[in-house]
Amino acid sequence: MNELILHGCTTEPLMGYLKALGVLRTIAEQVDSDARGCWRDGVFVLSSKLTREELSHFFLRDYKPTPVIVPWSGGDFFDVSRNETIGSQSKTPTASKIIESFLGASGDRLTEYRLALHCALATLSQCGISRKADMKNKELKRRYIGALRNASIESVIDWIDTCAILTADKVTFSTLLGSGGGSDGNTHFSDNFMQNLWEVLPEFDPQRKKPKESSFSLIENSLWGINTSELVPNRTSSLYDAGASGGANSGHGFERISLTNPWNFILCLEGSLLFAGAISRREAPGEKGRAAFPFQARLTTTSFDSSSEKETSGREIWLPIWEKPALYNEIFTTFTEGRMSIGSKVAERGVDFARAASSLGVDRGINSFYRYALVKGRIGGDNYNTSAPLGRFAVNERPSANLLREIDPWLDRFRRDASDGKVPSRFKVALNRIETAIFTFCQYGGTSRFADILCALGTAERELANGEKFRKDKNLWPLAGLSPAWIEAAYDGSVEFEIALALAGIYDPLYKLGPLRANLEPIQSDVDKQGHNYAKWTEGGRTVVWNSSDLARNMAAVLERRIMGSERSGRDDLPLASRSTASLGAIAAFIARETDDERIEKLLWGLLSIDHRHSYPKLDKCFITVPPLPRCFALLKLLFLPGGLRMGTEEVKIRPEPAIIPLLRADRIGEACAIAMRRLRVSGLMPMPHRSGNRGPRDREWQVSGVDPLRLAAALLIPVSRQDEDTLTRMILRQTNYTETVAQ
């Protein structure tokens, strides 16, 4: 076997990739069934019994082209004259004339092509189609394609299956072959394919006034990347190679004409036949009559792509890259039987493909994919498709990607409703952020990127909370009930995550008040018969105090609301228990403005969707260098604990002081601390500074400077552990026997 490196067949542009498939397919089917192929550093490597020279001469002398015909589009087949004698042509014939040239050509390797053309013309007559306008009838077109498929030879059937799939009520065309399944705007691929063959095959020399002498240099250029000056002007396909279309700023000068190699287009279409569609083999259970083409999906435009908003209706194609030599039959099986799936669900969008690849939904020895967008409007106008490279996607196993199945029902509903053209743009932006975060995580991995998914979900949830009309019209429910495994997958060891998780887990142990989520959005949480947590929207939302203000102000408002709710319910403790706590170092960083408040808020909204009834995974606290914890915080926090303060074997109930939060808002930290000192003394505790002889309490020494009073108030909402409560106690209280102090 000879190892042949085809430098003309590369992963970019799309034409280069399809050429590689075309070479392998043609060689394996016509001359060397043991031929193998693989990708190496973006270049296709062919292993064959043929030498380099034999491969080039095979295409010039022996290659039998696949009959590429598109009689269901355009008017070429309606003007064909079967009796006209083919004379010498001064230039390449077009439209019906190129069909006549093929019908009048001799040579064994064009026999199947001539049979296919005769069959197409005969089937038009059998279906009663005599003019181009008849094809505007969609049902008549569908019947014609079905009749042609039934009457054609096998090679034509393969081509038709690549172009179109017939279901019971419609025909679905492959975007890989343009908007019309073999035509794109006014460009007809069968016309172009035959013109390119006419220019390079010696069988057409009798029809040329001037014999071609450049075919060998053109095949050398196409296969091996050797430079040639024989490229053909003014014939290109921007669908497969946008760079060859010419135009302004496309070359060294101000403008360049389009130039192409006929063999590039020929081998490109030969390779496209591996993307033949199917109905049943790529269907999800219970879904019948759906057409599917291999590795094609609805286009997902992420924030990192250059695709414009109008291109979101396009398609994208994922081209598999394998690095171990494989037989053509093995590759053919991958394309025809392999599918991208998420569990039992067939991947339908680009973001689904990313999830499938990251969870090893594709397990055929594929190392990576090259992703292309097939969009309209970039070149030639809105009727023409263009392939735009979107980069390489490596296949890596990311177990956390399986957690995304938990949001699928909600996300599918939100995607459908947010994609409606009439909805406010903020919901479309929120959807784009979710899909960008999912795609980025699947591509690169990492806990911080999984946390970005939570942030994006939280942003969408916040938009729904503020979009009452939208969520009512679309009947959208809140996202809830995510497993605590999301916490472990998203925990990036940051101070921001630690604080957000501690806040998200706040609840009322007596369940008289709702969880913290009820203070951010108008919802009510409940449990269904299967024990699954869910949430529903409520009217009014009287407990909601979160608004568009900054994080610290909102946290202070939530604390004040929960204190008010506690007083109204006639209880002595505060509904501030949490299933997670933040370290004192994290709180010190928050008070000192050394945290990313925007990140905390986004994570908080995302973490609210977790089912906090279950145990959290064990997480290591972050270790950071932080400024000292302000002593005024330690004093005030002793009044805002969810339970009693442990003093040896005793537990002291300290009544909270609602007046402290308004004082902090008014930048009166000293007065707030003085109230806290008095409250501790009333509870039988001895805060420092304390009474000394005949001198009164030195409460005025709590005049604090350098501390933001609003952030101090917000920090009082953050739950701390029992161990940290003891640390706060040692910072503030004189260590004496509590029982003796009360007795005195």
mmCIF file of all heavy atoms in Angstrom, residues 478-521:
data_model
loop_
_atom_site.group_PDB
_atom_site.id
_atom_site.type_symbol
_atom_site.label_atom_id
_atom_site.label_comp_id
_atom_site.label_asym_id
_atom_site.label_seq_id
_atom_site.Cartn_x
_atom_site.Cartn_y
_atom_site.Cartn_z
ATOM 1 N N PRO A 478 -41.346 28.043 36.067
ATOM 2 C CA PRO A 478 -39.977 28.298 36.554
ATOM 3 C C PRO A 478 -39.135 27.030 36.477
ATOM 4 O O PRO A 478 -39.641 25.917 36.554
ATOM 5 C CB PRO A 478 -40.193 28.731 38.019
ATOM 6 C CG PRO A 478 -41.651 29.031 38.147
ATOM 7 C CD PRO A 478 -42.355 28.192 37.129
ATOM 8 N N LEU A 479 -37.856 27.206 36.335
ATOM 9 C CA LEU A 479 -36.927 26.081 36.361
ATOM 10 C C LEU A 479 -36.671 25.694 37.809
ATOM 11 O O LEU A 479 -36.302 26.537 38.631
ATOM 12 C CB LEU A 479 -35.612 26.462 35.678
ATOM 13 C CG LEU A 479 -34.514 25.399 35.654
ATOM 14 C CD1 LEU A 479 -34.974 24.159 34.887
ATOM 15 C CD2 LEU A 479 -33.242 25.957 35.040
ATOM 16 N N ALA A 480 -36.865 24.422 38.139
ATOM 17 C CA ALA A 480 -36.706 23.979 39.528
ATOM 18 C C ALA A 480 -36.382 22.494 39.557
ATOM 19 O O ALA A 480 -36.540 21.783 38.559
ATOM 20 C CB ALA A 480 -37.971 24.258 40.340
ATOM 21 N N GLY A 481 -35.924 22.035 40.725
ATOM 22 C CA GLY A 481 -35.730 20.602 40.940
ATOM 23 C C GLY A 481 -34.437 20.026 40.415
ATOM 24 O O GLY A 481 -34.305 18.806 40.300
ATOM 25 N N LEU A 482 -33.438 20.870 40.097
ATOM 26 C CA LEU A 482 -32.163 20.338 39.633
ATOM 27 C C LEU A 482 -31.454 19.625 40.782
ATOM 28 O O LEU A 482 -31.505 20.064 41.932
ATOM 29 C CB LEU A 482 -31.275 21.458 39.083
ATOM 30 C CG LEU A 482 -31.844 22.284 37.925
ATOM 31 C CD1 LEU A 482 -30.805 23.279 37.430
ATOM 32 C CD2 LEU A 482 -32.312 21.395 36.792
ATOM 33 N N SER A 483 -30.771 18.560 40.466
ATOM 34 C CA SER A 483 -30.113 17.756 41.502
ATOM 35 C C SER A 483 -28.906 18.499 42.064
ATOM 36 O O SER A 483 -28.273 19.305 41.374
ATOM 37 C CB SER A 483 -29.673 16.416 40.924
ATOM 38 O OG SER A 483 -28.649 16.602 39.970
ATOM 39 N N PRO A 484 -28.544 18.217 43.330
ATOM 40 C CA PRO A 484 -27.349 18.848 43.923
ATOM 41 C C PRO A 484 -26.052 18.507 43.204
ATOM 42 O O PRO A 484 -25.031 19.136 43.449
ATOM 43 C CB PRO A 484 -27.350 18.290 45.358
ATOM 44 C CG PRO A 484 -28.765 17.917 45.629
ATOM 45 C CD PRO A 484 -29.303 17.434 44.316
ATOM 46 N N ALA A 485 -26.081 17.496 42.312
ATOM 47 C CA ALA A 485 -24.878 17.188 41.536
ATOM 48 C C ALA A 485 -24.443 18.388 40.696
ATOM 49 O O ALA A 485 -23.263 18.508 40.336
ATOM 50 C CB ALA A 485 -25.137 15.979 40.643
ATOM 51 N N TRP A 486 -25.369 19.283 40.386
ATOM 52 C CA TRP A 486 -25.029 20.502 39.654
ATOM 53 C C TRP A 486 -24.045 21.349 40.467
ATOM 54 O O TRP A 486 -23.199 22.040 39.895
ATOM 55 C CB TRP A 486 -26.285 21.314 39.369
ATOM 56 C CG TRP A 486 -27.054 20.841 38.179
ATOM 57 C CD1 TRP A 486 -27.783 19.691 38.084
ATOM 58 C CD2 TRP A 486 -27.185 21.493 36.920
ATOM 59 N NE1 TRP A 486 -28.364 19.584 36.842
ATOM 60 C CE2 TRP A 486 -28.018 20.683 36.103
ATOM 61 C CE3 TRP A 486 -26.692 22.683 36.395
ATOM 62 C CZ2 TRP A 486 -28.342 21.028 34.799
ATOM 63 C CZ3 TRP A 486 -27.023 23.037 35.098
ATOM 64 C CH2 TRP A 486 -27.833 22.210 34.313
ATOM 65 N N ILE A 487 -24.187 21.317 41.777
ATOM 66 C CA ILE A 487 -23.315 22.128 42.631
ATOM 67 C C ILE A 487 -21.874 21.666 42.504
ATOM 68 O O ILE A 487 -20.956 22.468 42.314
ATOM 69 C CB ILE A 487 -23.793 22.052 44.093
ATOM 70 C CG1 ILE A 487 -25.217 22.616 44.222
ATOM 71 C CG2 ILE A 487 -22.833 22.785 45.011
ATOM 72 C CD1 ILE A 487 -25.830 22.432 45.590
ATOM 73 N N GLU A 488 -21.665 20.363 42.597
ATOM 74 C CA GLU A 488 -20.318 19.825 42.493
ATOM 75 C C GLU A 488 -19.731 20.065 41.109
ATOM 76 O O GLU A 488 -18.542 20.372 40.962
ATOM 77 C CB GLU A 488 -20.330 18.334 42.809
ATOM 78 C CG GLU A 488 -18.958 17.697 42.848
ATOM 79 C CD GLU A 488 -19.008 16.249 43.286
ATOM 80 O OE1 GLU A 488 -20.119 15.673 43.336
ATOM 81 O OE2 GLU A 488 -17.939 15.695 43.589
ATOM 82 N N ALA A 489 -20.555 19.918 40.074
ATOM 83 C CA ALA A 489 -20.072 20.107 38.707
ATOM 84 C C ALA A 489 -19.698 21.559 38.436
ATOM 85 O O ALA A 489 -18.823 21.835 37.612
ATOM 86 C CB ALA A 489 -21.134 19.652 37.713
ATOM 87 N N ALA A 490 -20.358 22.504 39.123
ATOM 88 C CA ALA A 490 -20.141 23.935 38.849
ATOM 89 C C ALA A 490 -19.216 24.609 39.848
ATOM 90 O O ALA A 490 -18.787 25.746 39.614
ATOM 91 C CB ALA A 490 -21.485 24.670 38.838
ATOM 92 N N TYR A 491 -18.894 23.926 40.963
ATOM 93 C CA TYR A 491 -18.104 24.580 42.005
ATOM 94 C C TYR A 491 -16.685 24.829 41.522
ATOM 95 O O TYR A 491 -15.920 23.895 41.290
ATOM 96 C CB TYR A 491 -18.088 23.735 43.273
ATOM 97 C CG TYR A 491 -17.330 24.384 44.414
ATOM 98 C CD1 TYR A 491 -17.709 25.635 44.889
ATOM 99 C CD2 TYR A 491 -16.237 23.756 44.999
ATOM 100 C CE1 TYR A 491 -17.025 26.249 45.920
ATOM 101 C CE2 TYR A 491 -15.549 24.353 46.039
ATOM 102 C CZ TYR A 491 -15.947 25.597 46.494
ATOM 103 O OH TYR A 491 -15.260 26.207 47.520
ATOM 104 N N ASP A 492 -16.337 26.082 41.381
ATOM 105 C CA ASP A 492 -15.027 26.461 40.852
ATOM 106 C C ASP A 492 -14.058 26.919 41.930
ATOM 107 O O ASP A 492 -12.974 27.423 41.631
ATOM 108 C CB ASP A 492 -15.186 27.561 39.800
ATOM 109 C CG ASP A 492 -15.961 28.767 40.329
ATOM 110 O OD1 ASP A 492 -16.224 28.823 41.547
ATOM 111 O OD2 ASP A 492 -16.302 29.658 39.524
ATOM 112 N N GLY A 493 -14.453 26.755 43.205
ATOM 113 C CA GLY A 493 -13.564 27.127 44.294
ATOM 114 C C GLY A 493 -13.459 28.619 44.528
ATOM 115 O O GLY A 493 -12.584 29.077 45.262
ATOM 116 N N SER A 494 -14.355 29.399 43.939
ATOM 117 C CA SER A 494 -14.279 30.853 44.064
ATOM 118 C C SER A 494 -15.068 31.343 45.266
ATOM 119 O O SER A 494 -15.994 30.686 45.756
ATOM 120 C CB SER A 494 -14.812 31.526 42.796
ATOM 121 O OG SER A 494 -16.204 31.283 42.649
ATOM 122 N N VAL A 495 -14.691 32.513 45.748
ATOM 123 C CA VAL A 495 -15.424 33.170 46.832
ATOM 124 C C VAL A 495 -16.852 33.462 46.388
ATOM 125 O O VAL A 495 -17.810 33.312 47.163
ATOM 126 C CB VAL A 495 -14.707 34.473 47.243
ATOM 127 C CG1 VAL A 495 -15.558 35.271 48.206
ATOM 128 C CG2 VAL A 495 -13.360 34.160 47.866
ATOM 129 N N GLU A 496 -17.007 33.849 45.128
ATOM 130 C CA GLU A 496 -18.331 34.196 44.619
ATOM 131 C C GLU A 496 -19.276 33.004 44.679
ATOM 132 O O GLU A 496 -20.442 33.148 45.077
ATOM 133 C CB GLU A 496 -18.214 34.712 43.183
ATOM 134 C CG GLU A 496 -17.582 36.085 43.049
ATOM 135 C CD GLU A 496 -16.062 36.074 43.177
ATOM 136 O OE1 GLU A 496 -15.479 34.970 43.178
ATOM 137 O OE2 GLU A 496 -15.464 37.160 43.277
ATOM 138 N N PHE A 497 -18.788 31.831 44.278
ATOM 139 C CA PHE A 497 -19.644 30.645 44.315
ATOM 140 C C PHE A 497 -19.996 30.288 45.749
ATOM 141 O O PHE A 497 -21.135 29.914 46.050
ATOM 142 C CB PHE A 497 -18.943 29.471 43.632
ATOM 143 C CG PHE A 497 -19.861 28.319 43.316
ATOM 144 C CD1 PHE A 497 -20.378 28.165 42.045
ATOM 145 C CD2 PHE A 497 -20.226 27.407 44.290
ATOM 146 C CE1 PHE A 497 -21.237 27.117 41.750
ATOM 147 C CE2 PHE A 497 -21.077 26.359 44.008
ATOM 148 C CZ PHE A 497 -21.587 26.209 42.737
ATOM 149 N N GLU A 498 -19.031 30.403 46.644
ATOM 150 C CA GLU A 498 -19.255 30.070 48.053
ATOM 151 C C GLU A 498 -20.360 30.937 48.652
ATOM 152 O O GLU A 498 -21.263 30.445 49.335
ATOM 153 C CB GLU A 498 -17.949 30.264 48.817
ATOM 154 C CG GLU A 498 -17.966 29.761 50.245
ATOM 155 C CD GLU A 498 -16.618 29.918 50.909
ATOM 156 O OE1 GLU A 498 -15.599 29.574 50.278
ATOM 157 O OE2 GLU A 498 -16.586 30.386 52.063
ATOM 158 N N ILE A 499 -20.299 32.226 48.388
ATOM 159 C CA ILE A 499 -21.310 33.143 48.928
ATOM 160 C C ILE A 499 -22.670 32.895 48.285
ATOM 161 O O ILE A 499 -23.706 32.849 48.966
ATOM 162 C CB ILE A 499 -20.862 34.598 48.716
ATOM 163 C CG1 ILE A 499 -19.626 34.898 49.568
ATOM 164 C CG2 ILE A 499 -21.994 35.568 49.059
ATOM 165 C CD1 ILE A 499 -19.022 36.262 49.320
ATOM 166 N N ALA A 500 -22.684 32.724 46.952
ATOM 167 C CA ALA A 500 -23.949 32.501 46.249
ATOM 168 C C ALA A 500 -24.630 31.230 46.726
ATOM 169 O O ALA A 500 -25.857 31.199 46.911
ATOM 170 C CB ALA A 500 -23.695 32.440 44.744
ATOM 171 N N LEU A 501 -23.862 30.156 46.944
ATOM 172 C CA LEU A 501 -24.453 28.898 47.399
ATOM 173 C C LEU A 501 -25.011 29.036 48.802
ATOM 174 O O LEU A 501 -26.098 28.506 49.106
ATOM 175 C CB LEU A 501 -23.401 27.787 47.349
ATOM 176 C CG LEU A 501 -23.869 26.394 47.785
ATOM 177 C CD1 LEU A 501 -25.018 25.910 46.891
ATOM 178 C CD2 LEU A 501 -22.717 25.395 47.746
ATOM 179 N N ALA A 502 -24.298 29.744 49.680
ATOM 180 C CA ALA A 502 -24.799 29.950 51.044
ATOM 181 C C ALA A 502 -26.116 30.717 51.028
ATOM 182 O O ALA A 502 -27.054 30.401 51.778
ATOM 183 C CB ALA A 502 -23.751 30.685 51.874
ATOM 184 N N LEU A 503 -26.217 31.721 50.160
ATOM 185 C CA LEU A 503 -27.453 32.501 50.071
ATOM 186 C C LEU A 503 -28.587 31.677 49.461
ATOM 187 O O LEU A 503 -29.729 31.730 49.931
ATOM 188 C CB LEU A 503 -27.210 33.754 49.228
ATOM 189 C CG LEU A 503 -26.263 34.809 49.812
ATOM 190 C CD1 LEU A 503 -25.983 35.890 48.772
ATOM 191 C CD2 LEU A 503 -26.852 35.420 51.074
ATOM 192 N N ALA A 504 -28.276 30.923 48.405
ATOM 193 C CA ALA A 504 -29.316 30.168 47.703
ATOM 194 C C ALA A 504 -29.963 29.123 48.605
ATOM 195 O O ALA A 504 -31.129 28.758 48.400
ATOM 196 C CB ALA A 504 -28.731 29.497 46.462
ATOM 197 N N GLY A 505 -29.235 28.630 49.596
ATOM 198 C CA GLY A 505 -29.770 27.576 50.463
ATOM 199 C C GLY A 505 -30.556 28.068 51.648
ATOM 200 O O GLY A 505 -31.005 27.260 52.484
ATOM 201 N N ILE A 506 -30.757 29.387 51.788
ATOM 202 C CA ILE A 506 -31.481 29.932 52.946
ATOM 203 C C ILE A 506 -32.942 29.496 52.917
ATOM 204 O O ILE A 506 -33.620 29.583 51.887
ATOM 205 C CB ILE A 506 -31.372 31.470 52.961
ATOM 206 C CG1 ILE A 506 -29.934 31.897 53.267
ATOM 207 C CG2 ILE A 506 -32.338 32.073 53.986
ATOM 208 C CD1 ILE A 506 -29.702 33.392 53.230
ATOM 209 N N TYR A 507 -33.428 29.039 54.066
ATOM 210 C CA TYR A 507 -34.822 28.587 54.177
ATOM 211 C C TYR A 507 -35.302 28.784 55.609
ATOM 212 O O TYR A 507 -34.535 29.142 56.515
ATOM 213 C CB TYR A 507 -34.933 27.114 53.774
ATOM 214 C CG TYR A 507 -34.317 26.155 54.764
ATOM 215 C CD1 TYR A 507 -35.108 25.408 55.638
ATOM 216 C CD2 TYR A 507 -32.929 25.990 54.839
ATOM 217 C CE1 TYR A 507 -34.545 24.532 56.559
ATOM 218 C CE2 TYR A 507 -32.357 25.119 55.743
ATOM 219 C CZ TYR A 507 -33.163 24.387 56.597
ATOM 220 O OH TYR A 507 -32.595 23.530 57.513
ATOM 221 N N ASP A 508 -36.562 28.553 55.829
ATOM 222 C CA ASP A 508 -37.176 28.647 57.155
ATOM 223 C C ASP A 508 -37.353 27.238 57.706
ATOM 224 O O ASP A 508 -38.122 26.449 57.146
ATOM 225 C CB ASP A 508 -38.527 29.349 57.051
ATOM 226 C CG ASP A 508 -39.245 29.426 58.391
ATOM 227 O OD1 ASP A 508 -38.613 29.120 59.420
ATOM 228 O OD2 ASP A 508 -40.438 29.782 58.407
ATOM 229 N N PRO A 509 -36.664 26.879 58.796
ATOM 230 C CA PRO A 509 -36.784 25.514 59.327
ATOM 231 C C PRO A 509 -38.216 25.157 59.732
ATOM 232 O O PRO A 509 -38.586 23.981 59.732
ATOM 233 C CB PRO A 509 -35.853 25.523 60.539
ATOM 234 C CG PRO A 509 -34.900 26.655 60.295
ATOM 235 C CD PRO A 509 -35.681 27.665 59.547
ATOM 236 N N LEU A 510 -39.028 26.169 60.083
ATOM 237 C CA LEU A 510 -40.419 25.906 60.466
ATOM 238 C C LEU A 510 -41.364 25.943 59.269
ATOM 239 O O LEU A 510 -42.560 25.659 59.427
ATOM 240 C CB LEU A 510 -40.872 26.935 61.512
ATOM 241 C CG LEU A 510 -40.051 26.980 62.814
ATOM 242 C CD1 LEU A 510 -40.613 28.039 63.748
ATOM 243 C CD2 LEU A 510 -40.047 25.616 63.489
ATOM 244 N N TYR A 511 -40.836 26.314 58.096
ATOM 245 C CA TYR A 511 -41.604 26.347 56.841
ATOM 246 C C TYR A 511 -42.839 27.242 56.921
ATOM 247 O O TYR A 511 -43.841 27.011 56.251
ATOM 248 C CB TYR A 511 -41.993 24.931 56.415
ATOM 249 C CG TYR A 511 -40.797 24.061 56.133
ATOM 250 C CD1 TYR A 511 -40.357 23.129 57.073
ATOM 251 C CD2 TYR A 511 -40.081 24.189 54.953
ATOM 252 C CE1 TYR A 511 -39.232 22.343 56.830
ATOM 253 C CE2 TYR A 511 -38.961 23.416 54.701
ATOM 254 C CZ TYR A 511 -38.542 22.490 55.642
ATOM 255 O OH TYR A 511 -37.422 21.730 55.409
ATOM 256 N N LYS A 512 -42.755 28.292 57.770
ATOM 257 C CA LYS A 512 -43.823 29.288 57.789
ATOM 258 C C LYS A 512 -43.578 30.362 56.727
ATOM 259 O O LYS A 512 -44.519 31.004 56.260
ATOM 260 C CB LYS A 512 -43.918 29.928 59.174
ATOM 261 C CG LYS A 512 -44.395 28.973 60.260
ATOM 262 C CD LYS A 512 -44.543 29.690 61.594
ATOM 263 C CE LYS A 512 -45.055 28.735 62.672
ATOM 264 N NZ LYS A 512 -45.205 29.414 63.974
ATOM 265 N N LEU A 513 -42.324 30.554 56.422
ATOM 266 C CA LEU A 513 -41.951 31.476 55.352
ATOM 267 C C LEU A 513 -41.313 30.691 54.219
ATOM 268 O O LEU A 513 -40.745 29.612 54.437
ATOM 269 C CB LEU A 513 -40.962 32.531 55.867
ATOM 270 C CG LEU A 513 -41.455 33.468 56.969
ATOM 271 C CD1 LEU A 513 -40.345 34.405 57.387
ATOM 272 C CD2 LEU A 513 -42.667 34.258 56.499
ATOM 273 N N GLY A 514 -41.361 31.227 53.021
ATOM 274 C CA GLY A 514 -40.773 30.556 51.874
ATOM 275 C C GLY A 514 -39.255 30.633 51.895
ATOM 276 O O GLY A 514 -38.661 31.341 52.728
ATOM 277 N N PRO A 515 -38.598 29.931 50.999
ATOM 278 C CA PRO A 515 -37.133 30.011 50.913
ATOM 279 C C PRO A 515 -36.710 31.364 50.366
ATOM 280 O O PRO A 515 -37.539 32.204 50.006
ATOM 281 C CB PRO A 515 -36.790 28.874 49.947
ATOM 282 C CG PRO A 515 -38.001 28.741 49.081
ATOM 283 C CD PRO A 515 -39.176 29.049 49.967
ATOM 284 N N LEU A 516 -35.427 31.558 50.289
ATOM 285 C CA LEU A 516 -34.915 32.836 49.804
ATOM 286 C C LEU A 516 -35.426 33.136 48.400
ATOM 287 O O LEU A 516 -35.635 34.299 48.048
ATOM 288 C CB LEU A 516 -33.381 32.805 49.799
ATOM 289 C CG LEU A 516 -32.741 34.112 49.326
ATOM 290 C CD1 LEU A 516 -32.224 34.900 50.518
ATOM 291 C CD2 LEU A 516 -31.614 33.863 48.346
ATOM 292 N N ARG A 517 -35.671 32.105 47.596
ATOM 293 C CA ARG A 517 -36.123 32.316 46.219
ATOM 294 C C ARG A 517 -37.421 33.109 46.169
ATOM 295 O O ARG A 517 -37.654 33.871 45.231
ATOM 296 C CB ARG A 517 -36.303 30.966 45.526
ATOM 297 C CG ARG A 517 -36.633 31.073 44.047
ATOM 298 C CD ARG A 517 -36.637 29.724 43.371
ATOM 299 N NE ARG A 517 -36.829 29.849 41.927
ATOM 300 C CZ ARG A 517 -36.837 28.845 41.074
ATOM 301 N NH1 ARG A 517 -36.656 27.597 41.527
ATOM 302 N NH2 ARG A 517 -37.014 29.053 39.784
ATOM 303 N N ALA A 518 -38.271 32.959 47.206
ATOM 304 C CA ALA A 518 -39.541 33.682 47.238
ATOM 305 C C ALA A 518 -39.337 35.172 47.421
ATOM 306 O O ALA A 518 -40.265 35.956 47.191
ATOM 307 C CB ALA A 518 -40.423 33.130 48.346
ATOM 308 N N ASN A 519 -38.138 35.597 47.862
ATOM 309 C CA ASN A 519 -37.842 37.021 47.995
ATOM 310 C C ASN A 519 -37.256 37.607 46.720
ATOM 311 O O ASN A 519 -37.070 38.819 46.627
ATOM 312 C CB ASN A 519 -36.855 37.256 49.143
ATOM 313 C CG ASN A 519 -37.386 36.788 50.481
ATOM 314 O OD1 ASN A 519 -36.745 35.987 51.159
ATOM 315 N ND2 ASN A 519 -38.565 37.253 50.864
ATOM 316 N N LEU A 520 -36.947 36.721 45.739
ATOM 317 C CA LEU A 520 -36.379 37.188 44.478
ATOM 318 C C LEU A 520 -37.375 37.161 43.334
ATOM 319 O O LEU A 520 -37.288 37.979 42.413
ATOM 320 C CB LEU A 520 -35.156 36.349 44.106
ATOM 321 C CG LEU A 520 -33.821 36.760 44.735
ATOM 322 C CD1 LEU A 520 -33.779 36.404 46.211
ATOM 323 C CD2 LEU A 520 -32.656 36.110 44.002
ATOM 324 N N GLU A 521 -38.311 36.216 43.355
ATOM 325 C CA GLU A 521 -39.282 36.107 42.275
ATOM 326 C C GLU A 521 -40.591 35.546 42.818
ATOM 327 O O GLU A 521 -40.605 34.837 43.842
ATOM 328 C CB GLU A 521 -38.739 35.228 41.148
ATOM 329 C CG GLU A 521 -38.277 33.858 41.585
ATOM 330 C CD GLU A 521 -37.692 33.047 40.436
ATOM 331 O OE1 GLU A 521 -38.095 33.267 39.282
ATOM 332 O OE2 GLU A 521 -36.857 32.176 40.706
#
